[in-house]
Amino acid sequence: MANPLKGEVIRLYKNLLYLGREYPKGSVYFRERLKSAFMKNKDVTDPEQIKKLVARGEFVIKELEALYFLRKYRAIKKRYYEPEE
Amino acid sequence: MSGRVLVGVKRVIDYAVKIRVKPDNSGVVTDGVKHSMNPFCEIAVEEAVKLKEKKLIKEVVAVSCGPQQSQETIRTALAMGADRGIHVEVAGKDYETLGPLQVSKIMAALAKKEDAQLIILGKQAIDDDCNQTGQMTAALLDWPQGTFASEVSLDGDKVKVVREIDGGLETIKISTPAVLTADLRLNTPRYATLPNIMKAKKKKIANVKPADLGVDLTSRLEVLKVEEPPQRQAGVKVETVEDLVGKLKETGRI
């Protein structure tokens, strides 16, 4: 793996792993899929390709944050507010 | 004005966890159960941090009352952008009886000590659903209050608050110092990601005891019993409309 990008990839993995603790299907499910997704690309050497994959990982982080927020918002709204007609 | 905002954050059982009542009906099971910051407190922290980002206030101080684990909740607030934290250590029996009255006494004492311009709290905690701490704190300090805030704007030494009330929305203008409580639609709290948590490790959390603030934690309430809500009765399926009418007559509904 290209050296300067190795740090970025590991950082991305750690960030995703941290986010996965709250995954609705469980952190174990998330970790298994996260690991296999990263291992699938472990032989990529082209820095451009790696950057693209890291960007996709960052996108997944944003998607997870949105998922968690919506899930929480909807649950709280359902529990505390009258249904809008 | 000091430009300092106190934000109260409470460590509660995570909103997504299925609550179980203890077999002796004395409370709910908390051991080994996932805890996190009360969702309305997250909204309160986000609002304070937003005010700081707009340069309308200078410092956000996150406060939590409880045992050692409350520090995790303060760390989350720091990761969201609070500048420093204050952990008011309350443990054991005192923590079991800790309620809005005691917390509001603590917040009032801290507000005076820290010369706070604003106190922002969540409107209620999802574990006790009291919806009292903000109001009590304002009363103890004799400060105006903007509760159920769905929109907050600072204008000099005044605060414009749009409140969510049963009839719709109410807009009030109150002067600072004031207490605000955050409602669901006030903002979208940012997620405390790992890099933010790491950066927040450098921020300080001060340790304070209620006695240092001259606060008496004696509770005037005693929990007698905690029960599960009644089980939903299973529905009955009928084959025809005649059967339905028959059943309704049977149970005295018509």
PDB file of all heavy atoms in Angstrom, chain B residues 36-64:
ATOM      1  N   SER B  36     -26.346   6.672  27.045  1.00  0.00           N
ATOM      2  CA  SER B  36     -25.810   7.730  26.184  1.00  0.00           C
ATOM      3  C   SER B  36     -26.389   9.071  26.628  1.00  0.00           C
ATOM      4  O   SER B  36     -27.164   9.130  27.581  1.00  0.00           O
ATOM      5  CB  SER B  36     -26.105   7.453  24.722  1.00  0.00           C
ATOM      6  OG  SER B  36     -27.459   7.163  24.543  1.00  0.00           O
ATOM      7  N   MET B  37     -26.030  10.136  25.913  1.00  0.00           N
ATOM      8  CA  MET B  37     -26.523  11.456  26.281  1.00  0.00           C
ATOM      9  C   MET B  37     -27.993  11.569  25.909  1.00  0.00           C
ATOM     10  O   MET B  37     -28.416  11.127  24.851  1.00  0.00           O
ATOM     11  CB  MET B  37     -25.723  12.547  25.546  1.00  0.00           C
ATOM     12  CG  MET B  37     -25.981  13.943  26.102  1.00  0.00           C
ATOM     13  SD  MET B  37     -25.325  15.278  25.091  1.00  0.00           S
ATOM     14  CE  MET B  37     -23.598  15.058  25.308  1.00  0.00           C
ATOM     15  N   ASN B  38     -28.784  12.142  26.813  1.00  0.00           N
ATOM     16  CA  ASN B  38     -30.192  12.387  26.552  1.00  0.00           C
ATOM     17  C   ASN B  38     -30.347  13.153  25.214  1.00  0.00           C
ATOM     18  O   ASN B  38     -29.670  14.152  25.003  1.00  0.00           O
ATOM     19  CB  ASN B  38     -30.754  13.222  27.713  1.00  0.00           C
ATOM     20  CG  ASN B  38     -32.220  13.543  27.550  1.00  0.00           C
ATOM     21  OD1 ASN B  38     -32.986  12.716  27.103  1.00  0.00           O
ATOM     22  ND2 ASN B  38     -32.581  14.773  27.879  1.00  0.00           N
ATOM     23  N   PRO B  39     -31.206  12.661  24.315  1.00  0.00           N
ATOM     24  CA  PRO B  39     -31.323  13.314  22.993  1.00  0.00           C
ATOM     25  C   PRO B  39     -31.606  14.809  23.059  1.00  0.00           C
ATOM     26  O   PRO B  39     -31.058  15.573  22.253  1.00  0.00           O
ATOM     27  CB  PRO B  39     -32.491  12.570  22.345  1.00  0.00           C
ATOM     28  CG  PRO B  39     -32.445  11.216  22.958  1.00  0.00           C
ATOM     29  CD  PRO B  39     -31.987  11.425  24.370  1.00  0.00           C
ATOM     30  N   PHE B  40     -32.440  15.239  24.017  1.00  0.00           N
ATOM     31  CA  PHE B  40     -32.720  16.680  24.090  1.00  0.00           C
ATOM     32  C   PHE B  40     -31.497  17.448  24.587  1.00  0.00           C
ATOM     33  O   PHE B  40     -31.322  18.630  24.249  1.00  0.00           O
ATOM     34  CB  PHE B  40     -33.934  16.938  24.991  1.00  0.00           C
ATOM     35  CG  PHE B  40     -35.211  16.398  24.418  1.00  0.00           C
ATOM     36  CD1 PHE B  40     -35.830  15.286  24.966  1.00  0.00           C
ATOM     37  CD2 PHE B  40     -35.806  17.007  23.313  1.00  0.00           C
ATOM     38  CE1 PHE B  40     -37.006  14.785  24.427  1.00  0.00           C
ATOM     39  CE2 PHE B  40     -36.977  16.506  22.764  1.00  0.00           C
ATOM     40  CZ  PHE B  40     -37.579  15.391  23.324  1.00  0.00           C
ATOM     41  N   CYS B  41     -30.654  16.798  25.391  1.00  0.00           N
ATOM     42  CA  CYS B  41     -29.424  17.446  25.826  1.00  0.00           C
ATOM     43  C   CYS B  41     -28.459  17.614  24.646  1.00  0.00           C
ATOM     44  O   CYS B  41     -27.734  18.606  24.573  1.00  0.00           O
ATOM     45  CB  CYS B  41     -28.738  16.633  26.928  1.00  0.00           C
ATOM     46  SG  CYS B  41     -29.706  16.515  28.438  1.00  0.00           S
ATOM     47  N   GLU B  42     -28.464  16.631  23.723  1.00  0.00           N
ATOM     48  CA  GLU B  42     -27.618  16.750  22.526  1.00  0.00           C
ATOM     49  C   GLU B  42     -28.011  18.000  21.748  1.00  0.00           C
ATOM     50  O   GLU B  42     -27.142  18.747  21.264  1.00  0.00           O
ATOM     51  CB  GLU B  42     -27.814  15.540  21.598  1.00  0.00           C
ATOM     52  CG  GLU B  42     -27.239  14.252  22.105  1.00  0.00           C
ATOM     53  CD  GLU B  42     -27.513  13.089  21.155  1.00  0.00           C
ATOM     54  OE1 GLU B  42     -28.394  13.232  20.270  1.00  0.00           O
ATOM     55  OE2 GLU B  42     -26.865  12.055  21.327  1.00  0.00           O
ATOM     56  N   ILE B  43     -29.320  18.226  21.645  1.00  0.00           N
ATOM     57  CA  ILE B  43     -29.816  19.391  20.915  1.00  0.00           C
ATOM     58  C   ILE B  43     -29.389  20.670  21.633  1.00  0.00           C
ATOM     59  O   ILE B  43     -29.035  21.678  20.996  1.00  0.00           O
ATOM     60  CB  ILE B  43     -31.349  19.312  20.755  1.00  0.00           C
ATOM     61  CG1 ILE B  43     -31.705  18.044  19.967  1.00  0.00           C
ATOM     62  CG2 ILE B  43     -31.901  20.542  20.059  1.00  0.00           C
ATOM     63  CD1 ILE B  43     -33.190  17.765  19.835  1.00  0.00           C
ATOM     64  N   ALA B  44     -29.396  20.627  22.975  1.00  0.00           N
ATOM     65  CA  ALA B  44     -28.971  21.793  23.753  1.00  0.00           C
ATOM     66  C   ALA B  44     -27.496  22.097  23.502  1.00  0.00           C
ATOM     67  O   ALA B  44     -27.109  23.253  23.285  1.00  0.00           O
ATOM     68  CB  ALA B  44     -29.216  21.550  25.245  1.00  0.00           C
ATOM     69  N   VAL B  45     -26.657  21.056  23.521  1.00  0.00           N
ATOM     70  CA  VAL B  45     -25.227  21.252  23.272  1.00  0.00           C
ATOM     71  C   VAL B  45     -25.007  21.826  21.878  1.00  0.00           C
ATOM     72  O   VAL B  45     -24.239  22.770  21.689  1.00  0.00           O
ATOM     73  CB  VAL B  45     -24.447  19.918  23.407  1.00  0.00           C
ATOM     74  CG1 VAL B  45     -22.999  20.085  22.984  1.00  0.00           C
ATOM     75  CG2 VAL B  45     -24.530  19.388  24.821  1.00  0.00           C
ATOM     76  N   GLU B  46     -25.710  21.261  20.901  1.00  0.00           N
ATOM     77  CA  GLU B  46     -25.554  21.718  19.512  1.00  0.00           C
ATOM     78  C   GLU B  46     -25.893  23.203  19.390  1.00  0.00           C
ATOM     79  O   GLU B  46     -25.174  23.965  18.737  1.00  0.00           O
ATOM     80  CB  GLU B  46     -26.465  20.889  18.600  1.00  0.00           C
ATOM     81  CG  GLU B  46     -26.484  21.327  17.150  1.00  0.00           C
ATOM     82  CD  GLU B  46     -25.163  21.123  16.450  1.00  0.00           C
ATOM     83  OE1 GLU B  46     -24.397  20.228  16.870  1.00  0.00           O
ATOM     84  OE2 GLU B  46     -24.879  21.876  15.500  1.00  0.00           O
ATOM     85  N   GLU B  47     -26.967  23.622  20.074  1.00  0.00           N
ATOM     86  CA  GLU B  47     -27.364  25.032  20.000  1.00  0.00           C
ATOM     87  C   GLU B  47     -26.286  25.930  20.603  1.00  0.00           C
ATOM     88  O   GLU B  47     -25.950  26.970  20.032  1.00  0.00           O
ATOM     89  CB  GLU B  47     -28.705  25.239  20.716  1.00  0.00           C
ATOM     90  CG  GLU B  47     -29.370  26.554  20.404  1.00  0.00           C
ATOM     91  CD  GLU B  47     -29.685  26.707  18.918  1.00  0.00           C
ATOM     92  OE1 GLU B  47     -29.792  25.676  18.214  1.00  0.00           O
ATOM     93  OE2 GLU B  47     -29.801  27.864  18.475  1.00  0.00           O
ATOM     94  N   ALA B  48     -25.752  25.525  21.746  1.00  0.00           N
ATOM     95  CA  ALA B  48     -24.699  26.318  22.382  1.00  0.00           C
ATOM     96  C   ALA B  48     -23.473  26.415  21.481  1.00  0.00           C
ATOM     97  O   ALA B  48     -22.898  27.497  21.303  1.00  0.00           O
ATOM     98  CB  ALA B  48     -24.324  25.705  23.728  1.00  0.00           C
ATOM     99  N   VAL B  49     -23.074  25.284  20.891  1.00  0.00           N
ATOM    100  CA  VAL B  49     -21.896  25.278  20.019  1.00  0.00           C
ATOM    101  C   VAL B  49     -22.142  26.140  18.782  1.00  0.00           C
ATOM    102  O   VAL B  49     -21.255  26.871  18.327  1.00  0.00           O
ATOM    103  CB  VAL B  49     -21.516  23.831  19.622  1.00  0.00           C
ATOM    104  CG1 VAL B  49     -20.420  23.814  18.587  1.00  0.00           C
ATOM    105  CG2 VAL B  49     -21.094  23.047  20.850  1.00  0.00           C
ATOM    106  N   LYS B  50     -23.379  26.071  18.253  1.00  0.00           N
ATOM    107  CA  LYS B  50     -23.716  26.915  17.096  1.00  0.00           C
ATOM    108  C   LYS B  50     -23.573  28.390  17.449  1.00  0.00           C
ATOM    109  O   LYS B  50     -23.050  29.176  16.664  1.00  0.00           O
ATOM    110  CB  LYS B  50     -25.155  26.654  16.657  1.00  0.00           C
ATOM    111  CG  LYS B  50     -25.349  25.539  15.666  1.00  0.00           C
ATOM    112  CD  LYS B  50     -26.722  25.685  14.992  1.00  0.00           C
ATOM    113  CE  LYS B  50     -26.827  24.891  13.721  1.00  0.00           C
ATOM    114  NZ  LYS B  50     -27.054  23.450  13.943  1.00  0.00           N
ATOM    115  N   LEU B  51     -24.038  28.778  18.654  1.00  0.00           N
ATOM    116  CA  LEU B  51     -23.948  30.174  19.082  1.00  0.00           C
ATOM    117  C   LEU B  51     -22.487  30.607  19.160  1.00  0.00           C
ATOM    118  O   LEU B  51     -22.136  31.735  18.807  1.00  0.00           O
ATOM    119  CB  LEU B  51     -24.625  30.363  20.444  1.00  0.00           C
ATOM    120  CG  LEU B  51     -26.156  30.329  20.452  1.00  0.00           C
ATOM    121  CD1 LEU B  51     -26.679  30.379  21.870  1.00  0.00           C
ATOM    122  CD2 LEU B  51     -26.728  31.484  19.651  1.00  0.00           C
ATOM    123  N   LYS B  52     -21.643  29.683  19.616  1.00  0.00           N
ATOM    124  CA  LYS B  52     -20.223  30.013  19.717  1.00  0.00           C
ATOM    125  C   LYS B  52     -19.606  30.145  18.326  1.00  0.00           C
ATOM    126  O   LYS B  52     -18.795  31.038  18.080  1.00  0.00           O
ATOM    127  CB  LYS B  52     -19.476  28.935  20.524  1.00  0.00           C
ATOM    128  CG  LYS B  52     -18.081  29.405  20.935  1.00  0.00           C
ATOM    129  CD  LYS B  52     -17.351  28.359  21.735  1.00  0.00           C
ATOM    130  CE  LYS B  52     -16.610  27.437  20.803  1.00  0.00           C
ATOM    131  NZ  LYS B  52     -15.489  26.750  21.448  1.00  0.00           N
ATOM    132  N   GLU B  53     -20.029  29.249  17.421  1.00  0.00           N
ATOM    133  CA  GLU B  53     -19.495  29.311  16.051  1.00  0.00           C
ATOM    134  C   GLU B  53     -19.904  30.596  15.359  1.00  0.00           C
ATOM    135  O   GLU B  53     -19.177  31.138  14.531  1.00  0.00           O
ATOM    136  CB  GLU B  53     -19.962  28.096  15.238  1.00  0.00           C
ATOM    137  CG  GLU B  53     -19.206  26.837  15.606  1.00  0.00           C
ATOM    138  CD  GLU B  53     -19.802  25.585  15.001  1.00  0.00           C
ATOM    139  OE1 GLU B  53     -20.932  25.652  14.472  1.00  0.00           O
ATOM    140  OE2 GLU B  53     -19.149  24.533  15.082  1.00  0.00           O
ATOM    141  N   LYS B  54     -21.089  31.126  15.731  1.00  0.00           N
ATOM    142  CA  LYS B  54     -21.526  32.400  15.166  1.00  0.00           C
ATOM    143  C   LYS B  54     -20.901  33.566  15.903  1.00  0.00           C
ATOM    144  O   LYS B  54     -21.231  34.719  15.634  1.00  0.00           O
ATOM    145  CB  LYS B  54     -23.061  32.515  15.260  1.00  0.00           C
ATOM    146  CG  LYS B  54     -23.821  31.624  14.324  1.00  0.00           C
ATOM    147  CD  LYS B  54     -25.314  31.932  14.424  1.00  0.00           C
ATOM    148  CE  LYS B  54     -26.101  30.709  14.024  1.00  0.00           C
ATOM    149  NZ  LYS B  54     -27.479  30.738  14.468  1.00  0.00           N
ATOM    150  N   LYS B  55     -20.057  33.270  16.882  1.00  0.00           N
ATOM    151  CA  LYS B  55     -19.343  34.258  17.683  1.00  0.00           C
ATOM    152  C   LYS B  55     -20.286  35.117  18.517  1.00  0.00           C
ATOM    153  O   LYS B  55     -19.986  36.250  18.847  1.00  0.00           O
ATOM    154  CB  LYS B  55     -18.456  35.146  16.782  1.00  0.00           C
ATOM    155  CG  LYS B  55     -17.411  34.363  16.017  1.00  0.00           C
ATOM    156  CD  LYS B  55     -16.119  35.127  15.955  1.00  0.00           C
ATOM    157  CE  LYS B  55     -15.048  34.582  15.048  1.00  0.00           C
ATOM    158  NZ  LYS B  55     -15.000  33.180  14.749  1.00  0.00           N
ATOM    159  N   LEU B  56     -21.455  34.567  18.865  1.00  0.00           N
ATOM    160  CA  LEU B  56     -22.383  35.324  19.691  1.00  0.00           C
ATOM    161  C   LEU B  56     -22.104  35.091  21.167  1.00  0.00           C
ATOM    162  O   LEU B  56     -22.517  35.870  22.019  1.00  0.00           O
ATOM    163  CB  LEU B  56     -23.831  34.920  19.357  1.00  0.00           C
ATOM    164  CG  LEU B  56     -24.262  35.298  17.946  1.00  0.00           C
ATOM    165  CD1 LEU B  56     -25.561  34.618  17.584  1.00  0.00           C
ATOM    166  CD2 LEU B  56     -24.414  36.805  17.825  1.00  0.00           C
ATOM    167  N   ILE B  57     -21.452  33.972  21.474  1.00  0.00           N
ATOM    168  CA  ILE B  57     -21.028  33.728  22.849  1.00  0.00           C
ATOM    169  C   ILE B  57     -19.583  33.222  22.826  1.00  0.00           C
ATOM    170  O   ILE B  57     -19.081  32.839  21.768  1.00  0.00           O
ATOM    171  CB  ILE B  57     -21.939  32.694  23.561  1.00  0.00           C
ATOM    172  CG1 ILE B  57     -21.987  31.405  22.744  1.00  0.00           C
ATOM    173  CG2 ILE B  57     -23.321  33.243  23.778  1.00  0.00           C
ATOM    174  CD1 ILE B  57     -21.812  30.179  23.592  1.00  0.00           C
ATOM    175  N   LYS B  58     -18.950  33.254  24.009  1.00  0.00           N
ATOM    176  CA  LYS B  58     -17.510  32.993  23.991  1.00  0.00           C
ATOM    177  C   LYS B  58     -17.142  31.584  24.442  1.00  0.00           C
ATOM    178  O   LYS B  58     -16.183  31.014  23.974  1.00  0.00           O
ATOM    179  CB  LYS B  58     -16.794  34.009  24.900  1.00  0.00           C
ATOM    180  CG  LYS B  58     -16.907  35.423  24.400  1.00  0.00           C
ATOM    181  CD  LYS B  58     -15.723  36.277  24.884  1.00  0.00           C
ATOM    182  CE  LYS B  58     -16.074  37.761  24.853  1.00  0.00           C
ATOM    183  NZ  LYS B  58     -16.752  38.211  26.077  1.00  0.00           N
ATOM    184  N   GLU B  59     -17.909  31.039  25.393  1.00  0.00           N
ATOM    185  CA  GLU B  59     -17.471  29.758  25.962  1.00  0.00           C
ATOM    186  C   GLU B  59     -18.658  28.870  26.274  1.00  0.00           C
ATOM    187  O   GLU B  59     -19.671  29.339  26.799  1.00  0.00           O
ATOM    188  CB  GLU B  59     -16.676  30.024  27.247  1.00  0.00           C
ATOM    189  CG  GLU B  59     -15.885  28.815  27.737  1.00  0.00           C
ATOM    190  CD  GLU B  59     -15.244  29.035  29.086  1.00  0.00           C
ATOM    191  OE1 GLU B  59     -15.750  29.879  29.837  1.00  0.00           O
ATOM    192  OE2 GLU B  59     -14.260  28.336  29.394  1.00  0.00           O
ATOM    193  N   VAL B  60     -18.518  27.587  25.934  1.00  0.00           N
ATOM    194  CA  VAL B  60     -19.566  26.613  26.251  1.00  0.00           C
ATOM    195  C   VAL B  60     -19.032  25.668  27.316  1.00  0.00           C
ATOM    196  O   VAL B  60     -18.009  25.014  27.132  1.00  0.00           O
ATOM    197  CB  VAL B  60     -19.968  25.810  24.999  1.00  0.00           C
ATOM    198  CG1 VAL B  60     -21.014  24.769  25.352  1.00  0.00           C
ATOM    199  CG2 VAL B  60     -20.493  26.749  23.910  1.00  0.00           C
ATOM    200  N   VAL B  61     -19.740  25.606  28.452  1.00  0.00           N
ATOM    201  CA  VAL B  61     -19.313  24.732  29.547  1.00  0.00           C
ATOM    202  C   VAL B  61     -20.360  23.635  29.714  1.00  0.00           C
ATOM    203  O   VAL B  61     -21.529  23.923  29.955  1.00  0.00           O
ATOM    204  CB  VAL B  61     -19.182  25.528  30.868  1.00  0.00           C
ATOM    205  CG1 VAL B  61     -18.690  24.616  31.976  1.00  0.00           C
ATOM    206  CG2 VAL B  61     -18.257  26.713  30.677  1.00  0.00           C
ATOM    207  N   ALA B  62     -19.946  22.389  29.582  1.00  0.00           N
ATOM    208  CA  ALA B  62     -20.881  21.269  29.716  1.00  0.00           C
ATOM    209  C   ALA B  62     -20.876  20.770  31.157  1.00  0.00           C
ATOM    210  O   ALA B  62     -19.831  20.543  31.748  1.00  0.00           O
ATOM    211  CB  ALA B  62     -20.474  20.138  28.778  1.00  0.00           C
ATOM    212  N   VAL B  63     -22.088  20.613  31.705  1.00  0.00           N
ATOM    213  CA  VAL B  63     -22.212  20.194  33.105  1.00  0.00           C
ATOM    214  C   VAL B  63     -23.003  18.903  33.184  1.00  0.00           C
ATOM    215  O   VAL B  63     -24.014  18.740  32.499  1.00  0.00           O
ATOM    216  CB  VAL B  63     -22.959  21.273  33.930  1.00  0.00           C
ATOM    217  CG1 VAL B  63     -23.106  20.826  35.368  1.00  0.00           C
ATOM    218  CG2 VAL B  63     -22.252  22.601  33.832  1.00  0.00           C
ATOM    219  N   SER B  64     -22.538  17.962  34.015  1.00  0.00           N
ATOM    220  CA  SER B  64     -23.325  16.762  34.241  1.00  0.00           C
ATOM    221  C   SER B  64     -23.246  16.386  35.709  1.00  0.00           C
ATOM    222  O   SER B  64     -22.190  16.496  36.328  1.00  0.00           O
ATOM    223  CB  SER B  64     -22.825  15.610  33.373  1.00  0.00           C
ATOM    224  OG  SER B  64     -23.760  14.556  33.370  1.00  0.00           O
TER     225      SER B  64
END
